[in-house]
Amino acid sequence: MNMSEFLKIKTNFIGIGIRSVLFFGILLLLILIEIFAFWGIYGEGATASRISELWYVDLILNYLPIILVGGFLVYRILKEYRKQEYVNFKTNLITLLILIFLFSIRSQIERLIF
């Protein structure tokens, strides 16, 4: 499929908006669950402080939610492309791009809200 064929595919803008809001909410919920799970396991002491400074813990806490949600969307994109359901394929692809953009500016969004 080339770019001109991709642009001619019908776009479901309502689906993009609903899925973007839904998946971004799931993304924020996963981040909160991770924070509460980490706090529940390690508490607030010096051990928790040392553990949270490890590079792989920081990587898990910051990027695991986008990997889970993005992986699910990539699975849906590939499944719909194989079934040749191009409207859903394009909707999920645009939703994934919007989520990656929102995830990259999530610290500014958090500062705006809180």
Side-chain angles (χ1 to χ4, degrees):
M1 173 183 304
N2 58 21
M3 187 59 83
S4 64
E5 292 174 356
F6 179 76
L7 293 175
K8 290 179 184 177
I9 296 173
K10 183 180 176 182
T11 306
N12 184 2
F13 292 108
I14 295 173
I16 292 171
I18 292 171
R19 290 177 186 181
S20 295
V21 170
L22 177 70
F23 283 125
F24 192 67
I26 291 171
L27 194 67
L28 292 177
L29 184 64
L30 285 173
I31 291 171
L32 286 175
I33 290 171
E34 280 185 338
I35 290 170
F36 287 130
F38 182 82
W39 180 73
I41 293 171
Y42 296 111
E44 299 177 5
T47 304
S49 176
R50 279 181 282 165
I51 291 173
S52 68
E53 291 175 358
L54 296 173
W55 66 271
Y56 56 86
V57 173
D58 187 43
L59 185 71
I60 289 170
L61 289 177
N62 287 329
Y63 296 103
L64 184 64
I66 192 67
I67 290 171
L68 290 175
V69 173
F72 175 73
L73 279 173
V74 167
Y75 166 74
R76 296 277 310 258
I77 289 168
L78 293 175
K79 185 175 104 175
E80 290 160 358
Y81 183 75
R82 288 183 190 143
K83 287 183 178 180
Q84 296 180 350
E85 295 176 2
Y86 295 121
V87 174
N88 291 333
F89 161 74
K90 186 175 180 182
T91 301
N92 284 330
L93 183 65
I94 294 172
T95 301
L96 179 64
L97 294 175
I98 290 171
L99 276 180
I100 290 172
F101 173 73
L102 288 175
F103 186 77
S104 67
I105 62 167
R106 79 177 190 279
S107 62
Q108 287 84 8
I109 293 172
E110 288 172 358
R111 274 191 262 145
L112 181 68
I113 294 173
F114 301 113

